[in-house]
Amino acid sequence: MVSPERQIFKCFGCDIGGDIFKFLMEKESMEFKEALEILAKKAGVILQRKSTDKKDGKERLFEINFKAQEFFHYILTKHKFGEGALEYLYSRGLTDETIEQFGIGYAPNSWQSLTGFLLKRTFHSDELVLSGLAVSSKSPYDRFRGRITFPIIDTKDRIVGFSGRVLGKGEPKYINTPQTHIFDKSQTLFGIHRAKNDIKLKDTAILVEGEMDVTLSHQAGIKNVVASKGTALTSGQIELLKRFSQNLVLCFDTDLAGDSAARRGIEIAEA
């Protein structure tokens, strides 16, 4: 039961109740600080901080990633440059709805298409390098070229980075955004923003290796699935999953690398 007048909620099943902060903390497994920031943004309240420089810098990186995702998604779904990538995704069984839900895109096979797009939108070349979208050079160039792009989104629905998959055969198969002020691969799980509620509901998290495993599982209706960005499971990723469930199922590929990673993952999870 929710009382808008009294600004409180009460669950008579589990006997939990409280204010709007408590509601968000319980529903989304958030800390108070996270709930405060989200609710302040919804209410149009500007939080005063002792030091805003670092926060402002991070916000700019989130903005850059958001614009980059829009660019990649447009190229894939609306531009002739993305036709080959779109056909490849269809051949793997993905639907238009899944492509839209996960914000999948395509990075054109050119050196400065994204860089040029972002520079025209008030972003600076040093910011593009800091975001990991551009590689530092005399004239910065695009990191992701000729690859299908998967935006990596955190539990607050913010794009923190990207993963780029090569079309067809090629090495490396995937490249990721490097370490930035807002992206740490060891603390991140692909698909967590869409899976977190189902993980809580089913009290189980299913961990797979890659982005295609996650998207196709969700499309098939199995939505408590996330990916560890490769087979190297970390303690940081385990801590993130613990916010939503104590139960973990490892579903890596049944090759030597997957088997070895599953054994290491079990040891980390048990610890």
Side-chain angles (χ1 to χ4, degrees):
M1 297 288 291
V2 174
S3 172
E5 295 80 16
R6 299 174 64 188
Q7 290 286 291
I8 61 171
F9 78 98
K10 174 71 175 182
C11 175
F12 293 94
C14 60
D15 204 36
I16 292 177
D19 58 14
I20 54 174
F21 302 102
K22 178 78 170 181
F23 180 80
L24 202 56
M25 290 165 67
E26 290 291 333
K27 187 174 184 296
E28 302 290 344
S29 297
M30 291 180 174
E31 299 293 331
F32 175 76
K33 181 175 178 289
E34 293 177 291
L36 177 65
E37 290 175 345
I38 287 177
L39 290 169
K41 186 175 182 180
K42 284 182 177 292
V45 175
I46 299 175
L47 297 176
Q48 298 296 322
R49 294 178 175 82
K50 292 182 180 179
S51 176
T52 60
D53 293 340
K54 191 173 182 180
K55 179 71 176 179
D56 289 343
K58 286 185 176 181
E59 288 299 330
R60 288 285 286 180
L61 296 185
F62 289 130
E63 289 175 16
I64 291 171
N65 283 342
F66 178 75
K67 285 296 180 184
Q69 189 274 329
E70 287 187 325
F71 174 82
F72 291 144
H73 188 66
Y74 174 81
I75 295 295
L76 176 69
T77 58
K78 300 289 196 302
H79 201 284
K80 64 179 181 179
F81 287 163
E83 289 175 355
L86 194 58
E87 286 301 317
Y88 171 80
L89 292 172
Y90 288 156
S91 73
R92 293 293 303 270
L94 264 64
T95 64
D96 288 327
E97 183 181 6
T98 300
I99 291 169
E100 186 70 31
Q101 286 176 346
F102 282 89
I104 300 170
Y106 178 68
N109 194 17
S110 62
W111 289 96
Q112 292 187 317
S113 57
L114 176 65
T115 302
F117 171 81
L118 292 173
L119 288 176
K120 291 177 181 177
R121 281 153 182 79
T122 73
F123 298 113
H124 305 296
S125 57
D126 56 339
E127 291 178 316
L128 305 190
V129 172
L130 283 173
S131 74
L133 288 166
V135 178
S136 181
S137 177
K138 186 176 181 180
S139 180
Y141 58 89
D142 296 354
R143 181 178 302 277
F144 299 98
R145 304 183 305 278
R147 289 177 178 267
I148 293 168
T149 59
F150 297 86
I152 303 168
I153 303 173
D154 66 9
T155 56
K156 299 180 185 177
D157 289 325
R158 302 175 303 188
I159 301 174
V160 296
F162 292 88
S163 180
R165 189 195 192 285
V166 69
L167 268 178
K169 295 182 179 180
E171 292 296 335
K173 187 175 181 180
Y174 281 95
I175 62 171
N176 300 297
T177 295
Q179 180 103 4
T180 70
H181 293 309
I182 62 174
F183 179 69
D184 182 346
K185 182 180 175 181
S186 68
Q187 307 289 324
T188 306
L189 290 163
F190 177 77
I192 189 66
H193 67 297
R194 297 196 65 85
K196 59 184 181 181
N197 289 336
D198 280 87
I199 291 173
K200 284 192 71 175
L201 186 65
K202 297 178 181 177
D203 195 21
T204 302
I206 300 175
L207 190 69
V208 296
E209 287 186 18
E211 289 80 356
M212 292 299 292
D213 298 329
V214 171
T215 53
L216 287 169
S217 295
H218 280 247
Q219 183 173 288
I222 306 170
K223 299 183 179 181
N224 56 329
V225 180
V226 294
S228 59
K229 304 295 299 136
T231 54
L233 184 61
T234 69
S235 58
Q237 291 168 333
I238 291 291
E239 289 293 335
L240 177 57
L241 286 174
K242 278 175 62 180
R243 292 169 52 182
F244 306 101
S245 176
Q246 291 287 328
N247 301 309
L248 175 63
V249 174
L250 299 178
C251 193
F252 293 153
D253 293 350
T254 54
D255 52 19
L256 286 174
D259 180 67
S260 176
R263 293 174 187 273
R264 289 196 306 272
I266 290 170
E267 292 176 359
I268 295 171
E270 285 183 332

